[in-house]
Amino acid sequence: MIKLYKLVAVCAVLVPFAAAQQTSIHQDGGNWTQDVTGSLAKTNNVIVKTDIGSVRVTGGAQANIDYAIHNHANTSSQETAKRQFDSFKVTAYVRGDTAWIIAEWEGGQARHFGSDFVITVPNSTEQVKVESESGNIEVVSIAGRTSVETGGGGIKLENIGQEIQAQTGGGNVEINAIGGDATIETGGGNLKLGSIKGKVSASTGGGNIQLASSQQDAVIETGAGSIHVQDCGGMLKVSTGGGDIDLGTLSDGAQVETGGGSIHLAGAKGYVRVESGSGHIELDGVPSANVETGAGGIVAKFIQTNAEPHDSRLETTAGDITVYLAPSIHIVVDAAIEVSNGHSIQSDFPEFQVSNEGGPWGTKRAEGNLNGGGPLLKIRTTNGNIVIHRSM
């Protein structure tokens, strides 16, 4: 008898605690709605998986995990609606330190059927994980980490205390106030990224990307869209197949590439490498840079900083190059127009001597150094003008 009691006790521990659910059905206009509600005990981890529908998870001050699922059958027949509701099985239970809310479609193909999950959890929850086959996902005000995945819906994450992972087959993604690293991927939607304390890895198959701020390194990639980054506290790497790139003032260096768009950089404290297939490139204030464009013009302002000395190169096949140099900068300049043909080199600095090689169609060159010399600045255009200004 004692052994029997022990076996019953062990089985009681192994069986997950299921929630007591309440279900009601009512007509909503010409359609039908089923409301499924329930509550689970507080756990450190919450996992939500559904075959159909959107999911919203919000952190709050309550002690339990409360959920409300609204199923919609777009049919005037109550019998047809009930069959659809019966095909969408919702189970909720606690196993160990994890609360599970699972909804599975067990009928044939789901037609004219939708579902919305509204879940409230303690804001101290350590982990929230949500998976939906196609619906939108939103998670707000969670102290721990968050991982979400949807086959094609949009994603919104806000006020998450630790790292996040977000993946969608093609929807837009919006995140803000993230306390850790952020990894975001969409097959083709736009990315709107707010404040992120950790590292950023964000990619889209073809949408536009905006990043307000990242306190650490960031890698931003899009197949064709534009990229706008206001602030990055670490090394920044951005690339697009053909869109424009607009960057603010960076706390470190950057690697920037576009297949054909223009590039603008407000400034950087480290070495930058910039490349465009054919677009215009403008750098407002950098210590050193390697810049190349297939056909556009280049404007670059070089400033004196405490960054590690590094040689620079500006090169375009067909376009003008304008350079601004701080009077105090230590630099060696080697500038040349390969096919002058009426193009010229102009300089505010008498230290740079201009010469012609091979007559009016030959190479025009300017060489010299400022303040005793320093890193090399090499300037090349095949068919364009070169202007070197003294910056204020």
Side-chain angles (χ1 to χ4, degrees), residues 173 175-178 182 184 191-202 208-221 226-238 246-250:
V173 179
I175 71 171
N176 187 36
I178 307 301
I184 310 105
L191 303 183
K192 185 177 181 181
L193 316 179
S195 172
I196 302 170
K197 289 186 176 181
K199 297 179 180 180
V200 177
S201 175
N208 302 323
I209 302 178
Q210 299 179 41
L211 171 61
S213 67
S214 170
Q215 295 186 13
Q216 299 185 37
D217 298 346
V219 179
I220 310 292
E221 300 176 341
S226 64
I227 297 176
H228 175 64
V229 177
Q230 294 181 8
D231 180 44
C232 181
M235 184 67 183
L236 176 64
K237 182 178 181 180
V238 297
D246 184 19
L247 308 177
T249 302
L250 309 178

Side-chain angles (χ1 to χ4, degrees), residues 145-215:
R145 60 189 182 274
T146 298
S147 174
V148 299
E149 181 177 353
T150 173
I155 294 174
K156 181 178 180 180
L157 305 177
E158 186 172 8
N159 194 24
I160 308 298
Q162 298 182 27
E163 70 269 19
I164 64 106
Q165 294 183 346
Q167 182 176 351
T168 171
N172 297 330
V173 179
E174 181 177 352
I175 71 171
N176 187 36
I178 307 301
D181 296 344
T183 303
I184 310 105
E185 181 180 354
T186 173
N190 298 323
L191 303 183
K192 185 177 181 181
L193 316 179
S195 172
I196 302 170
K197 289 186 176 181
K199 297 179 180 180
V200 177
S201 175
S203 66
T204 171
N208 302 323
I209 302 178
Q210 299 179 41
L211 171 61
S213 67
S214 170
Q215 295 186 13

Side-chain angles (χ1 to χ4, degrees), residues 326-382:
S328 61
I329 197 169
H330 296 264
I331 201 165
V332 175
V333 171
D334 176 9
I337 304 171
E338 295 182 6
V339 182
S340 55
N341 187 24
H343 298 292
S344 65
I345 298 179
Q346 301 178 29
S347 172
D348 294 342
F349 298 91
E351 293 89 342
F352 303 146
Q353 301 297 318
V354 180
S355 62
N356 288 318
E357 302 173 2
W361 288 85
T363 299
K364 186 166 289 188
R365 185 180 299 274
E367 296 176 300
N369 64 73
L370 290 179
N371 302 309
L376 174 66
L377 170 58
K378 188 175 182 179
I379 307 170
R380 293 290 186 272
T381 176
T382 302

Side-chain angles (χ1 to χ4, degrees), residues 25-296:
I25 299 175
H26 61 274
Q27 195 166 17
D28 185 6
N31 303 314
W32 293 87
T33 297
Q34 179 192 56
D35 295 326
V36 180
T37 60
S39 182
L40 296 170
K42 176 182 177 181
T43 60
N44 287 330
N45 308 298
V46 177
I47 298 178
V48 182
K49 294 185 177 183
T50 178
D51 291 341
I52 299 172
S54 62
V55 180
R56 187 178 196 275
V57 180
T58 305
Q62 78 284 348
N64 295 326
I65 300 167
D66 301 320
Y67 62 92
I69 303 170
H70 308 286
N71 300 322
H72 314 284
N74 298 322
T75 174
S76 59
S77 168
Q78 183 176 9
E79 181 179 352
T80 301
K82 188 176 184 306
R83 285 199 301 268
Q84 290 185 328
F85 294 147
D86 291 342
S87 296
F88 195 51
K89 303 296 185 181
V90 178
T91 57
Y93 57 88
V94 172
R95 177 179 293 161
D97 204 17
T98 301
W100 295 76
I101 301 174
I102 301 175
E104 299 174 295
W105 182 262
E106 297 182 350
Q109 184 178 0
R111 296 179 178 177
H112 309 296
F113 184 87
S115 183
D116 300 304
F117 290 65
V118 179
I119 303 168
T120 307
V121 304
N123 51 23
S124 60
T125 301
E126 295 180 4
Q127 175 180 237
V128 170
K129 183 176 182 180
V130 181
E131 296 180 12
S132 175
E133 288 293 328
S134 60
N136 298 329
I137 298 177
E138 181 176 356
V139 181
V140 179
S141 299
I142 302 298
R145 60 189 182 274
T146 298
S147 174
V148 299
E149 181 177 353
T150 173
I155 294 174
K156 181 178 180 180
L157 305 177
E158 186 172 8
N159 194 24
I160 308 298
Q162 298 182 27
E163 70 269 19
I164 64 106
Q165 294 183 346
Q167 182 176 351
T168 171
N172 297 330
V173 179
E174 181 177 352
I175 71 171
N176 187 36
I178 307 301
D181 296 344
T183 303
I184 310 105
E185 181 180 354
T186 173
N190 298 323
L191 303 183
K192 185 177 181 181
L193 316 179
S195 172
I196 302 170
K197 289 186 176 181
K199 297 179 180 180
V200 177
S201 175
S203 66
T204 171
N208 302 323
I209 302 178
Q210 299 179 41
L211 171 61
S213 67
S214 170
Q215 295 186 13
Q216 299 185 37
D217 298 346
V219 179
I220 310 292
E221 300 176 341
T222 173
S226 64
I227 297 176
H228 175 64
V229 177
Q230 294 181 8
D231 180 44
C232 181
M235 184 67 183
L236 176 64
K237 182 178 181 180
V238 297
S239 65
T240 171
D244 295 337
I245 298 176
D246 184 19
L247 308 177
T249 302
L250 309 178
S251 300
D252 201 340
Q255 297 180 31
V256 186
E257 181 178 354
T258 174
S262 63
I263 298 172
H264 173 257
L265 171 61
K269 295 182 179 180
Y271 173 75
V272 298
R273 185 178 184 91
V274 182
E275 182 177 349
S276 174
S278 60
H280 178 79
I281 297 175
E282 184 173 353
L283 312 179
D284 287 344
V286 295
S288 55
N290 190 328
V291 181
E292 182 178 355
T293 177

